[in-house]
Amino acid sequence: MTIVTNSRASDHRPDHHASAGTPHYRGSGMGRQVLVLSGRSLRALGDPALIVPGLLEPILMLTVFSQVFKSVAQASSFPAGVSYIDYLLPAFLISSAVSAGLKSGVALTTELGNGIIARFHAMPIRSASILIGRNIADTALSGVNLLVMLTAGALVFGFDPAGGLLGTAGALLIAVMLSWSLGWVFMAMAGWLRRPEAMQPIGGIVNLVLMFASNAFVPVDSLPGWLRAFASVNPMSHAISAARDLTLGEGGFSSVLAPCGLCAVIVLVSAPLAVRSFRRAG
């Protein structure tokens, strides 16, 4: 009798007792693992106490900011013929996408702390499958939240951009791609920080600084010089500009291709780092 051991069961090499010549159990394929784990993450979010606040938060923020900053539309630097809600909503799509990416990291740190991940490591499950499943579920939920925001914007706030349905769909695609890519960035951070109480404030500060030091609420030309310089290089400003140009009918195919390509590059860099930090954390 031979005992085959390996400390990394999560890497698809479980410990099993087997006779010589007997094939070892390798578990299900990676595609099946991702499908099951994605479904598990979505079912875990089935509690209305978790879903409803996530749906209401961006709508409440949109209500407040659309009223507080409404007078900005009267400034000379504001685009002529554009209502403030048409200007603001694309920025909220991008900001909500960043927040959704952060939630992936927070959820992962929570599961690292409550023992769920340790149980997964004792099963024939690949580390990458766990992270991909988490990311797919969170990106899907983010897409639903963004659709709810757009629907509320159209029905309640009068969102009716010149770019029409096609331009709005392009802006939505950019936001979903951003949520998907930043989910990997924050999951890489989660494997390093390991605690939600550390992950939440760091991600929140990053989102807050990037959003308010950008062109989300007012044109960059309206900002003080030092803030204008930062907003001009702020990656959130560029994502907002791409989404806004599409909704306002001023952007073309390149407005979608460039940010989506950048998101793909972010994933190519951050996904291996996320898997590596996740294995160490487990």
Side-chain angles (χ1 to χ4, degrees), residues 238-262:
H238 294 283
I240 290 172
S241 294
R244 185 174 285 151
D245 287 346
L246 286 165
T247 59
L248 296 180
E250 300 172 358
F253 180 70
S254 61
S255 297
V256 177
L257 184 61
C260 288
L262 179 59

Side-chain angles (χ1 to χ4, degrees), residues 66-98:
S66 65
Q67 299 305 310
V68 171
F69 293 100
K70 190 175 182 179
S71 60
V72 172
Q74 301 173 7
S76 58
S77 59
F78 195 80
V82 177
S83 68
Y84 190 64
I85 188 63
D86 291 349
Y87 183 87
L88 181 64
L89 191 50
F92 268 88
L93 290 179
I94 300 303
S95 176
S96 296
V98 175

Side-chain angles (χ1 to χ4, degrees), residues 181-249:
S181 61
L182 291 182
W184 284 103
V185 174
F186 285 114
M187 285 193 295
M189 292 177 59
W192 173 52
L193 295 172
R194 303 188 185 188
R195 300 192 308 275
E197 60 268 24
M199 186 73 195
Q200 185 79 49
I202 291 176
I205 290 172
V206 170
N207 190 18
L208 189 68
V209 170
L210 291 179
M211 184 173 183
F212 281 93
S214 71
N215 61 350
F217 303 111
V218 297
V220 172
D221 293 341
S222 304
L223 300 173
W226 65 271
L227 190 55
R228 186 188 312 142
F230 180 83
S232 297
V233 298
N234 184 346
M236 185 175 283
S237 292
H238 294 283
I240 290 172
S241 294
R244 185 174 285 151
D245 287 346
L246 286 165
T247 59
L248 296 180

Side-chain angles (χ1 to χ4, degrees), residues 16-53:
H16 285 287
H17 296 276
S19 301
T22 302
H24 305 312
Y25 176 65
R26 296 288 182 177
S28 59
M30 188 169 181
R32 177 63 177 171
Q33 291 179 10
V34 169
L35 181 62
V36 171
L37 291 169
S38 298
R40 171 202 162 265
S41 296
L42 288 173
R43 285 193 299 273
L45 295 171
D47 186 352
L50 299 176
I51 294 293
V52 174

